[in-house]
Amino acid sequence: MKLAVWTTERIAGWKQLLAGLFCLLSLPVFAELQAPPSMADQRAMSVTQVVLGILSYARWPVEPAQLRLCVVGPTEYTDDLVKGTTQATGRPVVVRRLLANYPAIASECDAIYIGKLTNEERSTLFASLTGHPVLSISEGGDQCTVGSLFCLRVSDHQVSFEVNLDSVARSGVRIHPSVLQLSRRKAAAP
């Protein structure tokens, strides 16, 4: 009888040991699944918030039922944005990628998010937008003087933007004055 009890206790002990090992080995898997977002993911999410904020304070001559945002050129921070989303007002934002020389870009896009383009591609794009109410946001890397309404400034700690008032005036898209005031704020010192 003692032998049977000892064997049962021994088997139960092995089961507990195996269950413990399984838990220990699976911890890295669960830790990976719940890892905090990387710095690149955080920047992409911040860019999405800023872009959606800018779009929510813009008014077109004819308000679209769903906002058509086109992404043009290679970008660094649109991973979160291209999934599509809904504005705080409930208006859906449909996002798609297009080439800078797409012939119907001005009529099929309400807003354009511009990545890295050559000078020729940039000139072609802005020539096709002339006279059309299209809001343009440049991802950065250039002076905010060549056609874009907004130019993003992305850092590890924040996303800010500049506004090209001349381009805003010529665009046909009205921008709420509070957004223009936000662009004038200087980044807080870390």
Side-chain angles (χ1 to χ4, degrees):
M1 182 89 110
K2 283 186 174 181
L3 182 60
V5 172
W6 181 76
T7 307
T8 306
E9 288 174 357
R10 194 173 192 193
I11 293 172
W14 279 105
K15 285 183 180 178
Q16 288 176 342
L17 180 64
L18 288 174
L21 281 172
F22 176 73
C23 286
L24 284 175
L25 293 174
S26 62
L27 279 177
V29 173
F30 290 120
E32 255 182 54
L33 294 176
Q34 301 205 4
S38 69
M39 191 62 81
D41 291 338
Q42 289 177 12
R43 284 190 293 262
M45 288 186 285
S46 295
V47 165
T48 296
Q49 289 176 344
V50 168
V51 169
L52 291 176
I54 290 170
L55 295 176
S56 69
Y57 284 97
R59 298 292 173 259
W60 285 262
V62 176
E63 282 296 318
Q66 69 178 12
L67 194 63
R68 302 167 300 168
L69 174 63
C70 300
V71 178
V72 178
T75 59
E76 286 185 62
Y77 307 112
T78 56
D79 290 348
D80 191 51
L81 192 61
V82 294
K83 296 173 187 171
T85 188
T86 303
Q87 290 183 297
T89 61
R91 176 170 51 182
V93 178
V94 178
V95 182
R96 68 184 217 185
R97 287 193 172 273
L98 294 175
L99 296 174
N101 61 356
Y102 182 71
I105 200 164
S107 61
E108 294 182 17
C109 303
D110 301 305
I112 297 178
Y113 184 100
I114 304 164
K116 291 180 175 50
L117 297 177
T118 65
N119 289 336
E120 183 180 327
E121 290 171 323
R122 184 174 283 282
S123 296
T124 301
L125 174 63
F126 286 118
S128 68
L129 297 179
T130 301
H132 298 279
V134 178
L135 185 147
S136 57
I137 302 172
S138 287
E139 192 170 73
D142 60 341
Q143 295 293 326
C144 198
T145 55
V146 187
S148 291
L149 277 67
F150 293 90
C151 300
L152 299 180
R153 300 290 175 237
V154 182
S155 72
D156 287 345
H157 303 289
Q158 76 175 29
V159 176
S160 59
F161 58 89
E162 294 178 35
V163 178
N164 182 329
L165 295 175
D166 187 44
S167 292
V168 169
R170 286 186 276 121
S171 72
V173 178
R174 290 186 334 225
I175 307 298
H176 194 280
S178 62
V179 175
L180 304 178
Q181 291 296 326
L182 280 175
S183 72
R184 293 187 182 141
R185 285 189 191 169
K186 298 294 181 197

